[in-house]
């Protein structure tokens, strides 16, 4: 069975500082990996995805993530955080079978200090 | 059009009511999903439709009844709900991928329906 762990429940960074959100997954083969962002009261928005190939993937809003098979990790990074980045971030793993079912981590709440 | 539209945005219903949530997408996606999200929790999968056929039902109680009338529309019919069913209901769509069209290339979510059962 696939699963995702986001070790950090809550992270606070200062505006302009760099950011790294951690994600570890469990899956028997190479998974599809995703990061989503959710602002309060809104749906989720896809930030980026990894299927295969280059292990460093670029996404929207200046985010990037690196797939590390040896560590079963897919950490999200941003070099300089903006106040508008404050939100809930979800890592998800999607099976290559099973009708496109994605399993989400519990999420990390990002607070940005001025 | 790169949106998934959900209506209504808010819904309050009594435990004996019948109501429906609607979802529409015009991106040509052939997989559509219903997720339920409680406060401060991740989305939980309820149903998956792939090419207009129900492919996954995650043991959802029968008081929730999904329907996919065509490739653009997804409905969730609600009847005799309980207060614990109050949540944000999210619709998503994706383009099936993988070797047999049974993976997803990332979801496009709607903004959700905030459901309160009284």
């Amino acid at each position: 069975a696939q699963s995702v762990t986001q070790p950090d429940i809550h992270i606070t960074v200062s505006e302009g500082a760099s950011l790294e959100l951690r994600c570890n997954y469990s899956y028997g083969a190479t998974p599809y990996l995703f990061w989503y962002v959710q602002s309060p009261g809104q749906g989720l928005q896809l930030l980026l995805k990894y299927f295969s190939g280059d292990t460093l993937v670029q996404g929207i809003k200046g985010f990037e993530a690196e797939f590390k098979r040896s560590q079963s990790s897919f950490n999200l990074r941003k070099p300089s955080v903006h106040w508008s980045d404050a939100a809930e971030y979800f890592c998800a793993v999607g099976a290559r079978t099973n009708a496109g079912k994605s399993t989400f981590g519990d999420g990390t709440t990002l607070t940005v200090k001025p | 059009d790169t949106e998934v539209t959900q209506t209504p945005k808010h819904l309050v219903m009594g435990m004996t009511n019948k109501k429906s949530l609607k979802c529409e997408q015009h991106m040509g996606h052939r997989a559509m999903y219903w997720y339920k999200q409680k406060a401060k929790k991740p989305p939980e999968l309820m149903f998956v439709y792939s090419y207009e056929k129900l492919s996954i039902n995650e043991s959802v109680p029968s008081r929730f009844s999904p329907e996919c009338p065509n490739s653009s529309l997804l409905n969730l019919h609600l009847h005799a709900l309980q207060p614990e069913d109050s949540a944000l209901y999210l619709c998503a769509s994706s383009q099936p991928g993988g070797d047999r069209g049974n993976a997803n290339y990332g979801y496009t979510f709607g903004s959700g329906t905030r459901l309160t059962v009284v």
Side-chain angles (χ1 to χ4, degrees):
Chain A
Q2 61 204 56
S3 67
V4 177
T5 301
Q6 293 181 247
D8 304 305
I9 297 173
H10 196 165
I11 283 185
T12 299
V13 299
S14 297
E15 190 169 17
S18 63
L19 171 70
E20 182 169 29
L21 302 182
R22 296 184 291 164
C23 172
N24 295 101
Y25 69 89
S26 175
Y27 185 67
T30 301
Y32 293 166
L33 293 163
F34 310 92
W35 274 100
Y36 293 87
V37 61
Q38 185 177 31
S39 297
Q42 298 297 312
L44 285 74
Q45 182 181 23
L46 180 65
L47 285 175
L48 46 77
K49 56 195 174 189
Y50 172 79
F51 299 141
S52 64
D54 193 346
T55 56
L56 185 64
V57 294
Q58 302 297 320
I60 62 172
K61 304 187 181 192
F63 286 93
E64 66 178 26
E66 185 172 13
F67 171 62
K68 292 186 178 180
R69 185 190 303 274
S70 61
Q71 299 176 19
S72 298
S73 69
F74 188 57
N75 294 347
L76 182 71
R77 300 194 293 249
K78 186 169 185 178
S80 179
V81 170
H82 188 262
W83 64 266
S84 60
D85 292 324
E88 189 79 15
Y89 290 81
F90 292 100
C91 181
V93 58
R96 291 173 183 263
T97 58
N98 205 14
K101 173 180 175 179
S102 282
T103 300
F104 289 82
D106 286 341
T108 297
T109 303
L110 174 64
T111 298
V112 180
K113 294 191 302 184
Chain B
D1 190 347
T2 57
E3 286 189 346
V4 174
T5 303
Q6 290 188 244
T7 56
K9 292 194 182 304
H10 300 275
L11 178 62
V12 179
M13 60 185 291
M15 288 188 286
T16 58
N17 291 161
K18 285 185 180 180
K19 296 286 185 183
S20 296
L21 309 185
K22 296 186 183 303
C23 175
E24 186 170 11
Q25 58 92 10
H26 294 288
M27 294 175 285
H29 290 171
R30 301 305 298 277
M32 296 186 76
Y33 310 78
W34 280 114
Y35 276 86
K36 172 183 176 180
Q37 187 180 29
K38 303 283 269 187
K40 304 295 184 184
K41 295 292 186 182
E44 298 174 32
L45 182 66
M46 300 175 72
F47 303 103
V48 179
Y49 274 84
S50 183
Y51 296 94
E52 295 86 67
K53 287 183 170 32
L54 182 65
S55 58
I56 291 182
N57 176 341
E58 291 283 37
S59 302
V60 178
S62 60
R63 57 185 184 269
F64 295 91
S65 175
E67 178 194 21
C68 189
N70 59 53
S71 60
S72 299
L73 293 174
L74 186 65
N75 298 322
L76 186 63
H77 303 296
L78 314 173
H79 173 57
L81 296 193
Q82 303 297 310
E84 59 265 29
D85 296 322
S86 298
L88 181 66
Y89 288 83
L90 294 164
C91 173
S93 70
S94 73
Q95 193 59 276
D99 296 336
R100 299 179 185 177
N102 50 11
N104 84 74
Y105 286 149
Y107 297 148
T108 300
F109 279 92
S111 57
T113 294
R114 176 72 60 187
L115 174 66
T116 303
V117 182
V118 298

